[in-house]
Amino acid sequence: IPLFLSLLREDNLTLKQRTTVVLANLSGSAAGHNAIISCAGAIPLLLSLLREDACYLNPASTILFDNLSRADDRHNAIISCEGTIPLILSMLREDNPTLKQHTTTVLAKLALTEAGREAIISCESAIPLFLSLLREDNLTLKQNTTEALAHLSTPAAGREAIISCESAIPLFLS
């Protein structure tokens, strides 16, 4: 894993993309997941991938974070506190249905923790963005989005943020 992480520091987009795919695949297993999480500096380095403006890098990075966000509260809190939420939310604006599905899955998993919920709710664009996704013709995306909103609606701040959007309640009732 440290070797793969070192390859992500190279200034070569193709190498970064392929290495990210390898890490995304490895992170799908418990052993791979734990090996990645336990490497010093792994999370900040992986977050830097989300900041890259590369259409081929972001889907693999999001799948990687999807796999990593399936861990316990400690791991979710690490990811949430590292400033990931605004970056992941920005991916919901992409015109890529698969990327949106993976992104909403990550956000739903992060919303399971208090730190994740607070980080998502604190982003002003989060709730309106989630509501806009419910209008898309993609059942998996709608399911992932409603899962995230269900988690976000558990604290009072989340309920208030959802209710304050004028279109929220009619959207859920339609």
Side-chain angles (χ1 to χ4, degrees), residues 44-168:
L45 179 60
L46 296 173
L47 279 172
S48 71
L49 298 176
L50 295 176
R51 291 183 181 98
E52 299 239 357
D53 189 23
C55 61
Y56 296 111
L57 196 54
N58 284 344
S61 300
T62 307
I63 292 168
L64 176 58
F65 271 96
D66 180 7
N67 290 341
L68 296 179
S69 69
R70 295 171 194 266
D72 61 26
D73 289 351
R74 179 175 55 96
H75 297 133
N76 282 336
I78 291 168
I79 294 170
S80 298
C81 294
E82 293 284 348
T84 318
I85 304 299
L87 293 169
I88 293 179
L89 283 169
S90 71
M91 291 182 186
L92 293 176
R93 293 180 179 90
E94 301 276 334
D95 190 25
N96 180 331
T98 304
L99 179 61
K100 286 180 181 180
Q101 287 175 12
H102 286 294
T103 302
T104 53
T105 298
V106 170
L107 290 164
K109 302 300 180 212
L110 292 174
L112 287 169
T113 66
E114 184 178 346
R117 285 189 296 273
E118 288 175 3
I120 294 168
I121 292 166
S122 70
C123 292
E124 287 184 27
S125 65
I127 301 301
L129 193 51
F130 280 129
L131 295 175
S132 72
L133 296 175
L134 294 176
R135 292 183 180 92
E136 294 197 17
D137 190 24
N138 181 324
L139 182 59
T140 303
L141 181 59
K142 288 178 182 179
Q143 290 171 334
N144 293 349
T145 302
T146 54
E147 179 183 357
L149 287 166
H151 299 312
L152 293 172
S153 66
T154 56
R159 287 191 296 274
E160 290 171 18
I162 293 169
I163 292 169
S164 70
C165 291
E166 293 178 21
S167 64

Side-chain angles (χ1 to χ4, degrees), residues 1 4 7 10 15 23 29 32 34 38 49 60 66 68 84 92 100 104 108 117 122 157 162 172 174:
I1 301 298
F4 290 123
L7 294 174
E10 298 288 330
L15 181 61
L23 288 169
S29 73
N34 292 333
S38 67
L49 298 176
D66 180 7
L68 296 179
T84 318
L92 293 176
K100 286 180 181 180
T104 53
R117 285 189 296 273
S122 70
I162 293 169
F172 285 114
S174 63

